[in-house]
Amino acid sequence: MLSVTRKENLITLNFEIYLINKTSLANINLYVLAGSIKKQIETVYSGTFGKIELRSNVTVKPLYEYKLKALHNNLVIAISSNVTNDNVAEADFGGLLIKLNPKHLESINSGINKRTIPHELGHILGLDHPHARAKFESINLEASALEQSITNQEKLNNLMCQSWYIQKAGITLNDALALTENQVKLLFENYTSKKLTKNYHIKRRLFSYSWIGKI
Ligand SMILES: [Zn+2]
């Protein structure tokens, strides 16, 4: 479940995330990973952003057994051997699924990587990369007006820039966790305009549910 509430200048994000293992690897400790994920999200998605105060309530529920019906229209992080280009993770833009590459769980649990999960969650919340594809100090013309106004200075350590951008800026990836006030405003707007409720990977049929695509 994902919900976003606003009371004057206080925005609260409520995440209830199901954590599942879609790989054949049997020795993954979902409880440990759930703790790491919760901590990383709460760290990034809270604080003061301009005039806005942001808070996060995060519950990550490890599910060793589950029915697809229970996952339908819920926020899911699935450990998957089918992440595109063997990346660390990938997310549905404005959707409800993050696929996480099992090769990188260790770096997430150890804190060597504190950025991938919050970055992918940003995409779930409808945040785009603020820069154009493969172009340093650029504007992403496909992003929203709020994102297009993010300055090059702000991009240097921004959570939603791609890894190569941060590296080119000479910043350590774990130090590039910043969000701007505009991005925080945008995720609330995205939620209220109902852009964040689609589930692209679990399809409901008449009497059953099934995965769509390679998970
Ligand atoms: Zn991204």
Side-chain angles (χ1 to χ4, degrees):
M1 189 199 71
L2 165 66
S3 73
V4 186
T5 60
R6 180 166 190 169
K7 201 178 170 191
E8 291 165 10
N9 284 331
L10 172 66
I11 293 179
T12 306
L13 306 173
N14 298 296
F15 300 103
E16 191 179 75
I17 302 169
Y18 292 129
L19 178 62
I20 62 169
N21 176 13
K22 285 287 287 174
T23 73
S24 54
L25 301 165
N27 58 346
I28 295 174
N29 188 328
L30 296 180
Y31 287 92
V32 171
L33 184 62
S36 309
I37 290 171
K38 174 181 162 68
K39 199 169 132 194
Q40 292 190 0
I41 295 171
E42 285 177 344
T43 303
V44 171
Y45 290 91
S46 61
T48 306
F49 300 85
K51 289 185 220 63
I52 296 173
E53 185 70 25
L54 182 67
R55 286 185 202 157
S56 290
N57 301 313
V58 183
T59 308
V60 185
K61 291 185 174 173
L63 298 180
Y64 283 91
E65 286 177 34
Y66 54 87
K67 290 206 163 80
L68 273 186
K69 188 181 177 180
L71 305 185
H72 186 246
N73 286 336
N74 274 308
L75 188 48
V76 176
I77 296 180
I79 302 164
S80 163
S81 301
N82 295 304
V83 179
T84 309
N85 299 327
D86 210 22
N87 284 335
V88 182
E90 69 181 306
D92 286 339
F93 189 79
L96 293 170
L97 178 77
I98 295 174
K99 287 199 272 180
L100 190 55
N101 190 329
K103 292 175 190 167
H104 298 274
L105 303 183
E106 194 60 43
S107 64
I108 289 169
N109 281 328
S110 66
I112 289 173
N113 180 344
K114 295 180 187 175
R115 188 172 193 264
T116 295
I117 295 280
H119 176 96
E120 297 304 329
L121 196 66
H123 288 317
I124 294 282
L125 295 166
L127 301 183
D128 208 336
H129 302 138
H131 55 80
R133 218 161 283 172
K135 214 171 165 198
F136 193 65
E137 298 197 329
S138 58
I139 289 171
N140 180 358
L141 296 174
E142 289 164 25
S144 70
L146 283 169
E147 290 167 311
Q148 289 190 27
S149 67
I150 295 170
T151 66
N152 283 337
Q153 188 60 36
E154 288 172 324
K155 281 173 200 150
L156 297 178
N157 64 347
N158 193 269
L159 176 72
M160 294 315 296
C161 289
Q162 287 183 293
S163 303
W164 66 263
Y165 193 101
I166 302 303
Q167 282 157 349
K168 197 171 165 74
I171 308 258
T172 307
L173 281 172
N174 270 347
D175 293 335
L177 304 176
L179 288 166
T180 67
E181 184 177 3
N182 278 353
Q183 285 169 311
V184 174
K185 278 182 187 163
L186 181 62
L187 56 89
F188 177 72
E189 280 182 17
N190 286 342
Y191 180 77
T192 51
S193 60
K194 305 226 183 315
K195 282 181 188 161
L196 309 179
T197 52
K198 292 190 194 78
N199 191 311
Y200 301 111
H201 277 95
I202 299 173
K203 189 176 166 72
R204 183 182 184 167
R205 298 179 199 279
L206 197 51
F207 298 109
S208 65
Y209 295 79
S210 58
W211 288 105
I212 302 168
K214 264 190 154 186
I215 311 296

